Amino acid sequence: MRPHLELIDVSKRYGATAAVQGVSLSVAEGEFISLLGPSGSGKTTTLMMIAGFESVSGGHIRLGGTTVEELPPHERNIGMMFQNYALFPHMTVAQNIGFPLKVRHRPKSEIKAAVDRYLEMVGLSAHAHKRPAQLSGGQQQRVALARALVFEPRLLLLDEPLSALDKNLREQMQQELRRIHRQVGVTTIYVTHDQGEAMMLSDRIAVFNHGRIEQVGRPDEVYERPATRFTASFIGDSNIIAGRRGEAADILLTADGNALRCGSPLADAQAALLVRPEKLHVGDAPEGANRLSLKIGGVVNIGVAAMVTGSAAGQEICLRAPVSLLPSLREGETLPVWWHAADGWPLPSPQE
Amino acid sequence: MTILTARRTLLGATAGMLAAPALKAQGRFLYINSWGGTWERAARQHLFDPFTAKTGIEIRITSGVNFAKLAAQVRTGNYEYDISTLGGPSLVQAEQSNLTERPTDQTIDRGKLPSDGIFANGIGNHAYSTNLAVNTRNLPAGEVRDWRDFWNLQKYPGRRALPRSMQWTFPFALLADGVAKENIYPIDMDRAFRSLDKVKPAIASWWTQGGQAQQLLADGEVQMIGIWHANVLSAKRNGAPVELVWNQFTVDRTYWVVSRGTPRAAMAFEFIQFAVEPERMARFCIDGQYGPFDTRAFNWINEEQTKDMPTNPAYAAGAIEHEPRSIGAIMTAATRRFEAWQIQ
Amino acid sequence: MSAALTGLRPEAAHRPRTRLRAVPTWLLIAPALLYMGVVFLLPLANTAWVSFSDPMPGLHNYIEVLTTPAYLRIYRNTTLMALLVTGICIVMAYPLALYIARAGGAVGAVLLAATGLSFWISFLVRTYAWTVILGSRGPVSQVARWMGYDPPPVLLFTSAASIIGMTHILLPFMVLSIYVVLARIDPVLLRAASGLGATRGQTFRQVVLPLSMPGIISGSLLVFVFCLGFYVTPALIGSPRDLMVASLIATQIEDLLAFGTASAMAMLLLGATLLMLAVYDRALGLANLMK
Ligand SMILES: Nc1ncnc2c1ncn2[C@@H]1O[C@H](COP(=O)(O)OP(=O)(O)O)[C@@H](O)[C@H]1O
Ligand SMILES: [Mg+2]
């Protein structure tokens, strides 16, 4: 099947700064994809180019099989939700939601029906005649969402929509976004710097760094099989142990002489392996497992586990130990840790 | 500075501030309402400065002659000026409204004034006139001689302007309609309006300010105009091609008046007495190109200097003396009717 | 005087500052209220009083004004003139304000300064400038002559000249009023509108224009009220038939000392203005829009 949205080698330069450099991405119809990356990595710029608010410096954007980069925003039929909601302060909630249909000259009856339907979808039927200023932040958010969806756009773009909300409201809105996405089925591009949010909401995640995409994949893929050290460290807690490849391609030799086996062969001579904290165990290692002795630097009781940080093989290491071990964990002492070779994921050499 | 001296300084300042009105009343200053321009320059040189030199009383100017302010001052007891100059009709109105201080034998020595020197509480100072004047760019000088010519729109097409105030315009309208100059007063209002109807289509502006009239004439925005003589002279000095017609002109006399109730009245009359001494009046009039009120002043004025003076005996045949009381009697009714007529 | 002295007593000077906080709010705004009262309300009250009492008590001043057809015509003409100038100001100021707001940065600052610059030139001077520009030998007439209109059309001493002159003088007020509001509109709203499918025209009509209404309204009120009080410009360059209410009032006072009539005229002008505001408010919901 042809992809619904295609970014082909898209770049954006602002004078000397390259905000986006050669980004390529294919998004299937109905897919929910997150652009995840640290601040300044080019996510918003990419979104703005898709929406048409920024021109592209190079490359192409195709939507539904046609090139759109020459079209002005209002001809692209893309729904966008802005970070600060951008509701029209002089219109009521209903008028805000009806706006995209009104400018498309839809009949009044159709507008009213659609507005009512989307008001109900976002649970604001009772507030139809209020002004945005009379609503809470969360309610304004829903209005913005309804307004971006009401005209059944070919694409829904959201730029860090939940970043202004407090934690509870944010989690509630995440649930709602998922529900609404499932209900409406619109292809959605979601910009966030919060990896947890991206993992929870997305079908796929595109990891941005320095204006490039480092990796695109399902949440479990980017988490368990990160393609780069950046992805490995940006998504989830990570222990990255650097070294060089041994005689056997799946062996990593650390500077202090440990030989650690990986789940699959290392690609580069200067390499590293990733092991997630939850894969590290305390105690005697079974046969064939990798083992290290950890010099405890700090212990924090987080309730479900004891967070232990320290150093081993010249690296900062963290892990979760059972709370029952707490009395025996003392700063400065050494702790035997191990993990199954299959849980060690090979990473390429550090990027130049 | 010690507390003591600080206290004394403050005490002095406070006392000064509180006592300011009282001090004013005692008399270092006299406030005179000025017409500005030529008038003020001549008055400063020949009247104000010599008076200060003689008496030590400083003359301060408040500008913008404003008849209404005189009334407001007397009503509120808040004096901005002690002395003003008024034309005849205003003088009559001011007297009727009790706005001016009456000169008495204690304050003014009548023996030094001409017999008609005091009129309606005012003390005669100088005369100015309202004349017909022509821009000679398109009309040869000497062509337009009187108000009949001014009213002759067939022979002299082109725009004209007249004063917005009835006291100057109505006599001209009557003259244009053939009324002999002796018969202008009392004014026949209906006849004046009938006459004005005829010139109205050519009137570009009913002017209110002397400077405005001067510009209209000097720039050639109007071909002819009824205008104060001083403004024509000023335009001429600036090189504008204008002609002042010394025929069928009305003469207004202006009078010094003292605001009624001012605490500086005695001083004000002292100044006025000083200002109207014939020789001084002569010098003031020469520079200001006014006609001296007191004919004795002509003793200090040579023939060349009388050329532009409305009270020049040579022009007497063409001069028409305003009758302030006659104008005053119809002023309100005529002005209101004139206004209504203008917008029709 | 003794109060000034006690104010200097050393112990008074050392009084703790916290005392100030104990001063009730009404006392703190008292100077402002006093100022408003003295500068604004007192003269107004005096005018009202004079209008009913001068030269004798009663309604005769009002009856006189309201039963004189010429006066009513002057009121109507003044109001029409003010409305016309206000309308022209809106039409001319809006694009300029929009351009300045869009340009922003240095260009915007320069344009804004240029707009404000004319505030520094006396309006008398500006009015006289128009007599030259519109005069029979001024540039406009010269151009007309070159184009074969001889004699050139008469511009000076027409109502059009009045309107041009007043518009020129009042335009900056309108530009600044509208600019201030336009500059406050969040540009994201314009993006949002465009992203939601609105063309530039639709964005302007449905978002920018309604959001700038408060600026248009405050500018209009300012210009309209100024216009009602104008008389120098119409008197200097306007048609000899155009008489403004303010000019009428001035004559009553300065030439006729008819303070009662003048006060009644002023009160009626004020009344008419307030009435228009009330109608405007009913029609447009002024209070709502000014929020
Ligand atoms: N209008 C602009 N002019 C110049 N530089 C810009 C502009 N917009 C963004 N940038 C730069 O482009 C880079 C990417 O920005 P952005 O796309 O906003 O990142 P993100 O949304 O991932 O935080 C940043 O370095 C930013 O400073
Ligand atoms: Mg961003």
Side-chain angles (χ1 to χ4, degrees):
Chain A
M1 200 181 91
R2 293 194 64 156
H4 184 58
L5 170 73
E6 262 180 299
L7 305 185
I8 303 157
D9 200 23
V10 169
S11 325
K12 179 71 190 178
R13 277 182 301 279
Y14 294 110
T17 11
V20 173
Q21 316 179 47
V23 161
S24 295
L25 182 67
S26 294
V27 183
E29 176 111 52
E31 197 175 11
F32 192 119
I33 190 162
S34 289
L35 311 188
L36 173 67
S39 177
S41 59
K43 310 179 296 291
T44 297
T45 306
T46 304
L47 209 65
M48 290 298 170
M49 286 189 287
I50 298 172
F53 297 125
E54 293 288 355
S55 59
V56 297
S57 306
H60 296 284
I61 299 172
R62 296 166 69 82
L63 185 58
T66 52
T67 307
V68 296
E69 69 258 9
E70 299 297 334
L71 289 183
H74 67 268
E75 286 175 24
R76 294 194 188 189
N77 216 19
I78 293 174
M80 170 132 192
M81 211 171 116
F82 291 84
Q83 214 163 340
N84 60 356
Y85 321 140
L87 297 179
F88 304 123
H90 60 297
M91 297 183 195
T92 63
V93 166
Q95 284 166 338
N96 262 284
I97 297 176
F99 180 83
L101 300 177
K102 190 172 170 205
V103 298
R104 285 172 173 77
H105 305 293
R106 298 283 170 75
K108 279 212 169 70
S109 56
E110 184 192 327
I111 296 179
K112 180 161 184 345
V115 167
D116 287 347
R117 196 163 66 246
Y118 278 87
L119 271 172
E120 194 176 340
M121 181 185 294
V122 295
L124 288 176
S125 298
H127 303 280
H129 300 295
K130 288 188 180 165
R131 296 270 163 123
Q134 295 167 281
L135 302 182
S136 72
Q139 288 169 327
Q140 292 182 25
Q141 180 104 57
R142 288 159 211 250
V143 177
L145 182 61
R147 189 179 65 174
L149 289 172
V150 72
F151 59 105
E152 289 165 8
R154 297 192 285 183
L155 206 57
L156 176 65
L157 307 180
L158 304 109
D159 190 359
E160 313 222 11
L162 309 184
S163 59
L165 304 183
D166 63 44
K167 188 166 174 292
N168 278 337
L169 200 52
R170 191 159 63 226
E171 280 167 5
Q172 191 187 325
M173 277 305 291
Q174 286 168 359
Q175 302 287 351
E176 207 145 331
L177 274 175
R178 268 161 60 124
R179 172 178 67 78
I180 288 168
H181 178 250
R182 234 176 280 131
Q183 195 173 335
V184 180
V186 63
T187 312
T188 304
I189 304 194
Y190 187 95
V191 161
T192 179
H193 66 271
D194 178 336
Q195 39 104 5
E197 193 168 279
M199 302 279 287
M200 170 175 172
L201 290 172
S202 321
D203 296 323
R204 284 192 303 152
I205 295 173
V207 181
F208 272 68
N209 190 27
H210 296 307
R212 296 176 200 279
I213 291 182
E214 298 251 339
Q215 186 173 0
V216 184
R218 293 193 314 275
D220 58 303
E221 277 172 356
V222 292
Y223 184 76
E224 283 163 20
R225 298 194 288 282
T228 63
R229 288 197 196 192
F230 173 79
T231 305
S233 59
F234 191 74
I235 297 176
D237 295 331
S238 55
N239 295 308
I240 295 172
I241 300 161
R244 58 192 167 78
R245 189 171 54 194
E247 306 260 294
D250 62 346
I251 296 291
L252 182 84
L253 300 172
T254 64
D256 61 349
N258 286 298
L260 304 171
R261 189 177 295 275
C262 292
S264 46
L266 292 156
D268 300 323
Q270 289 299 319
L273 76 76
L274 163 75
V275 56
R276 296 289 179 186
E278 66 274 14
K279 304 287 189 193
L280 287 178
H281 306 282
V282 178
D284 294 332
E287 195 59 30
N290 292 316
R291 64 195 73 191
L292 286 173
S293 62
L294 178 77
K295 185 153 192 257
I296 298 175
V299 182
V300 179
N301 184 354
I302 59 165
V304 294
M307 286 290 299
V308 182
T309 54
S311 61
Q315 318 282 335
E316 282 289 306
I317 298 289
C318 67
L319 62 93
R320 300 202 178 118
V323 184
S324 58
L325 288 179
L326 260 176
S328 61
L329 298 174
R330 247 171 246 115
E331 227 169 276
E333 294 191 346
T334 56
L335 188 68
V337 297
W338 61 271
W339 67 95
H340 292 294
D343 292 334
W345 177 250
L347 292 172
S349 69
Q351 280 123 330
E352 57 292 336
Chain B
M1 204 200 291
T2 65
I3 296 259
L4 203 68
T5 55
R7 200 184 278 190
R8 215 176 274 145
T9 314
L10 193 86
L11 179 64
T14 315
M17 241 153 63
L18 290 177
L23 264 183
K24 254 193 197 169
Q26 283 164 20
R28 299 221 46 85
F29 310 113
L30 204 48
Y31 294 86
I32 298 183
N33 193 202
S34 163
W35 293 77
T38 320
W39 186 95
E40 187 175 317
R41 247 174 283 127
R44 164 124 350 254
Q45 188 184 346
H46 302 295
L47 311 178
F48 301 167
D49 289 347
F51 182 69
T52 306
K54 184 180 166 210
T55 62
I57 298 169
E58 194 184 318
I59 304 283
R60 292 193 171 173
I61 294 299
T62 67
S63 47
V65 169
N66 186 338
F67 184 34
K69 197 165 276 163
L70 180 64
Q73 292 191 119
V74 176
R75 275 163 182 251
T76 59
N78 203 341
Y79 291 91
E80 192 178 301
Y81 56 78
D82 309 304
I83 299 177
S84 183
T85 47
L86 292 181
S90 300
L91 192 64
V92 171
Q93 262 184 302
E95 184 198 30
Q96 281 164 359
S97 308
N98 200 9
L99 302 177
T100 46
E101 195 76 27
R102 181 174 298 283
T104 64
D105 292 342
Q106 281 72 47
T107 50
I108 285 287
D109 181 355
R110 280 167 191 272
K112 291 187 175 168
L113 304 179
S115 57
D116 60 348
I118 297 184
F119 171 70
N121 294 352
I123 293 144
N125 181 46
H126 70 267
Y128 66 90
S129 64
T130 313
N131 299 50
L132 202 170
V134 176
N135 184 304
T136 52
R137 199 176 285 120
N138 295 323
L139 278 174
E143 172 85 21
V144 176
R145 294 313 311 154
D146 58 22
W147 294 103
R148 276 176 186 276
D149 293 338
F150 189 99
W151 251 248
N152 191 339
L153 307 187
Q154 274 75 43
K155 189 164 177 201
Y156 307 110
R159 296 195 292 198
R160 291 144 162 83
L162 283 170
R164 176 156 284 179
S165 182
M166 57 73 59
Q167 58 174 313
W168 295 298
T169 294
F170 280 26
F172 299 153
L174 292 173
L175 288 166
D177 203 38
V179 176
K181 72 174 210 177
E182 312 58 55
N183 298 333
I184 291 174
Y185 300 100
I187 284 172
D188 179 344
M189 249 205 268
D190 292 334
R191 185 163 181 184
F193 277 109
R194 276 199 304 277
S195 174
L196 284 166
D197 282 336
K198 294 178 195 144
V199 80
K200 194 180 190 183
I203 299 294
S205 174
W206 301 101
W207 59 265
T208 55
Q209 314 280 322
Q212 178 192 3
Q214 181 176 329
Q215 207 200 6
L216 289 172
L217 178 65
D219 291 355
E221 291 303 338
V222 294
Q223 300 265 318
M224 42 189 120
I225 190 168
I227 185 174
W228 293 325
H229 82 289
N231 290 108
V232 183
L233 300 176
S234 168
K236 209 181 245 177
R237 266 199 309 281
N238 295 339
V242 296
E243 184 204 6
L244 180 59
V245 179
W246 282 114
N247 182 34
Q248 290 193 339
F249 61 98
T250 54
V251 178
D252 282 88
R253 303 198 172 252
T254 69
Y255 301 79
W256 294 107
V257 292
V258 177
S259 307
R260 188 170 62 77
T262 172
R264 294 174 288 277
M267 228 162 52
F269 281 116
E270 186 186 347
F271 167 78
I272 293 171
Q273 184 96 61
F274 177 89
V276 298
E277 281 170 27
E279 188 181 349
R280 229 183 297 284
M281 186 187 281
R283 278 191 236 118
F284 166 73
C285 286
I286 291 168
D287 273 14
Q289 287 159 316
Y290 299 114
F293 187 95
D294 189 337
T295 45
R296 289 175 297 174
F298 280 108
N299 294 332
W300 286 273
I301 303 174
N302 65 39
E303 197 169 329
E304 171 63 19
Q305 287 164 335
T306 62
K307 189 166 72 79
D308 291 322
M309 290 184 177
T311 47
N312 182 344
Y315 303 146
I320 298 156
E321 282 288 336
H322 260 149
E323 284 182 22
R325 291 202 191 273
S326 177
I327 291 172
I330 60 161
M331 181 102 171
T332 300
T335 299
R336 294 198 169 150
R337 186 165 161 194
F338 194 25
E339 267 169 349
W341 175 87
Q342 279 169 21
I343 62 164
Q344 268 159 24
Chain C
M1 202 186 297
S2 64
L5 281 177
T6 42
L8 207 80
R9 279 208 316 262
E11 66 270 26
H14 293 294
R15 216 178 263 162
R17 280 181 157 246
T18 47
R19 275 291 180 90
L20 198 64
R21 286 194 203 130
V23 178
T25 316
W26 67 263
L27 206 62
L28 289 175
I29 60 167
L33 288 178
L34 196 70
Y35 179 83
M36 289 284 288
V38 169
V39 169
F40 186 70
L41 289 177
L42 226 54
L44 187 64
N46 182 53
T47 305
W49 166 247
V50 170
S51 75
F52 289 111
S53 66
D54 185 305
M56 56 212 169
L59 290 171
H60 55 92
N61 288 321
Y62 288 92
I63 293 169
E64 186 199 343
V65 176
L66 292 174
T67 54
T68 307
Y71 293 162
L72 296 180
R73 220 169 112 180
I74 291 171
Y75 271 91
R76 196 195 63 201
N77 287 352
T78 303
T79 311
L80 287 179
M81 187 87 106
L83 285 176
L84 197 61
V85 170
T86 308
I88 295 173
C89 276
I90 293 174
V91 171
M92 290 182 64
Y94 204 100
L96 187 56
L98 197 62
Y99 184 78
I100 296 174
R102 290 243 172 101
V107 179
V110 167
L111 282 173
L112 205 59
T115 307
L117 204 64
S118 51
F119 282 132
W120 295 92
I121 305 168
S122 137
F123 84 100
L124 210 57
V125 171
R126 284 187 273 160
T127 300
Y128 268 119
W130 280 111
T131 67
V132 176
I133 295 170
L134 299 177
S136 54
R137 293 185 302 139
V140 178
S141 293
Q142 302 285 13
V143 169
R145 266 197 207 97
W146 281 331
M147 287 164 52
Y149 294 95
D150 204 13
V154 175
L155 297 168
L156 199 55
F157 311 123
T158 61
S159 302
S162 270
I163 289 165
I164 291 172
M166 288 201 278
T167 302
H168 167 228
I169 287 161
L170 295 172
L171 193 65
F173 292 98
M174 187 70 88
V175 173
L176 291 181
S177 300
I178 297 176
Y179 165 79
V180 165
V181 175
L182 283 177
R184 273 205 316 248
I185 295 179
D186 188 347
V188 171
L189 292 182
L190 311 187
R191 284 194 156 189
S194 156
L196 293 166
T199 61
R200 286 167 71 109
Q202 286 171 324
T203 304
F204 176 75
R205 281 192 304 277
Q206 298 184 33
V207 180
V208 179
L209 196 58
L211 285 177
S212 56
M213 255 346 240
I216 295 179
I217 288 171
S218 60
S220 298
L221 292 182
L222 215 58
V223 169
F224 182 74
V225 170
F226 270 129
C227 268
L228 289 181
F230 249 63
Y231 75 97
V232 173
T233 303
L236 289 183
I237 65 177
S239 153
R241 279 163 212 270
D242 288 342
L243 205 57
M244 303 290 275
V245 175
S247 175
L248 191 66
I249 294 175
T251 309
Q252 306 309 308
I253 295 178
E254 285 169 13
D255 294 349
L256 306 179
L257 296 185
F259 287 93
T261 314
S263 299
M265 285 174 172
M267 293 308 291
L268 285 171
L269 189 60
L270 181 67
T273 311
L274 292 178
L275 192 74
M276 292 205 56
L277 285 188
V279 170
Y280 207 57
D281 185 23
R282 278 295 273 281
L284 288 170
L286 215 54
N288 234 348
L289 281 164
M290 295 307 278
K291 257 189 250 169

